[in-house]
Amino acid sequence: MIKACIFDMDGVIVDSAKYHFLAWRRLAAELAIDFTEEENEGLKGLSRVDSLEKILLKGELHLDNDTKVALMEKKNSWYLEYIEGMQPEEVLPGVREFLEELKANDIRIALGSSSRNAPRILEAVGLTSFFDSVIDGNKVTYSKPDPEVFLLGAKEVGVKPSEAVVFEDAQAGVAAGKAGGFYVIGLGEADVLDQADTVLPNLENFTLERLQSLMVH
């Protein structure tokens, strides 16, 4: 029996990953490091700290902790500038309709994102009212693939992992969901998200009935 759905944000609810890429690339350029879109894919699901470490590793830069904190703050301020302008039409196809159906059927809805700016993005795109719980980077100690973010989400909406479904677009997120004992639906490429229980290209035309049929098989 499905009692809750827990969603990652970047690449699942909205495509704010492009704004992360713009901000990280801008920061990397300041450090004279070339940072490509392909390399940005490798940051999916990682925390801000881990993302910065990957970029510094590429540039073979060894910086003290205070400098790293300042760089992360600079990157975040640029990212915030970008997302302030987000619009409701940036919600990915099928998401709003699926959330509406879940709400109408009393299925609890939680967000499980490593982003510290998740509430701000939900507000900008007009989705805040759908979520019973928002677990973001401010509430977790461990980043994915640790299952903490999803376990907290399930706890906040009062369900067991076996009663909830996780929606993810990143390998680290899929691994986190599986480690927590959840049924995991990957959104994206099947060969990349092969650890998920089911992989779909996106949530377009996805329904609660379809979800329930997946859980039965």
Side-chain angles (χ1 to χ4, degrees):
M1 178 64 186
I2 303 163
K3 294 184 179 178
C5 289
I6 307 176
F7 298 86
D8 175 44
M9 188 172 63
D10 287 346
V12 174
I13 301 281
V14 293
D15 184 17
S16 52
K18 64 187 175 189
Y19 300 116
H20 280 296
F21 170 59
L22 291 173
W24 281 127
R25 186 176 63 178
R26 189 169 163 186
L27 187 74
E30 271 203 3
L31 299 169
I33 300 169
D34 183 45
F35 185 63
T36 66
E37 273 193 76
E38 193 177 342
E39 286 162 337
N40 188 62
E41 286 293 303
L43 304 187
K44 270 189 175 181
L46 296 183
S47 68
R48 197 181 299 172
V49 176
D50 292 339
S51 296
L52 178 63
E53 291 295 351
K54 268 204 159 189
I55 292 170
L56 294 178
L57 186 67
K58 189 195 176 189
E60 298 180 353
L61 287 179
H62 303 280
L63 305 174
D64 62 69
N65 197 55
D66 288 349
T67 305
K68 288 177 185 176
V69 168
L71 288 174
M72 286 188 287
E73 286 175 355
K74 183 182 277 193
K75 179 265 170 181
N76 193 51
S77 69
W78 289 334
Y79 174 69
L80 291 177
E81 280 175 26
Y82 297 138
I83 65 169
E84 287 298 337
M86 288 185 77
Q87 301 293 321
E89 53 267 27
E90 291 187 69
V91 175
L92 291 171
V95 171
R96 193 179 299 272
E97 294 81 0
F98 185 49
L99 292 176
E100 285 170 352
E101 189 185 6
L102 293 177
K103 207 75 175 164
N105 285 275
D106 295 321
I107 305 292
R108 307 287 281 170
I109 302 171
L111 192 83
S113 170
S114 56
S115 170
R116 291 172 184 267
N117 303 300
R120 196 183 292 234
I121 292 173
L122 290 180
E123 191 67 39
V125 298
L127 293 181
T128 304
S129 61
F130 287 106
F131 288 85
D132 301 297
S133 166
V134 174
I135 307 296
D136 63 7
N138 298 299
K139 293 185 179 180
V140 295
T141 306
Y142 307 105
S143 57
K144 302 166 188 176
D146 189 281
E148 181 189 24
V149 65
F150 296 133
L151 292 172
L152 280 175
K155 186 178 178 183
E156 279 207 0
V157 297
V159 303
K160 300 172 193 162
S162 59
E163 299 170 323
V165 179
V166 162
F167 292 83
E168 259 290 350
D169 75 318
Q171 284 178 320
V174 169
K178 294 304 293 177
F182 297 88
Y183 186 94
V184 180
I185 294 182
L187 299 174
E189 302 292 329
D191 56 339
V192 176
L193 305 174
D194 58 350
Q195 298 301 307
D197 295 291
T198 301
V199 181
L200 306 169
N202 52 49
L203 286 173
E204 197 162 10
N205 301 317
F206 192 66
T207 62
L208 182 55
E209 184 182 7
R210 173 92 189 279
L211 176 57
Q212 287 165 334
S213 72
L214 289 173
M215 300 286 286
V216 170
H217 295 113

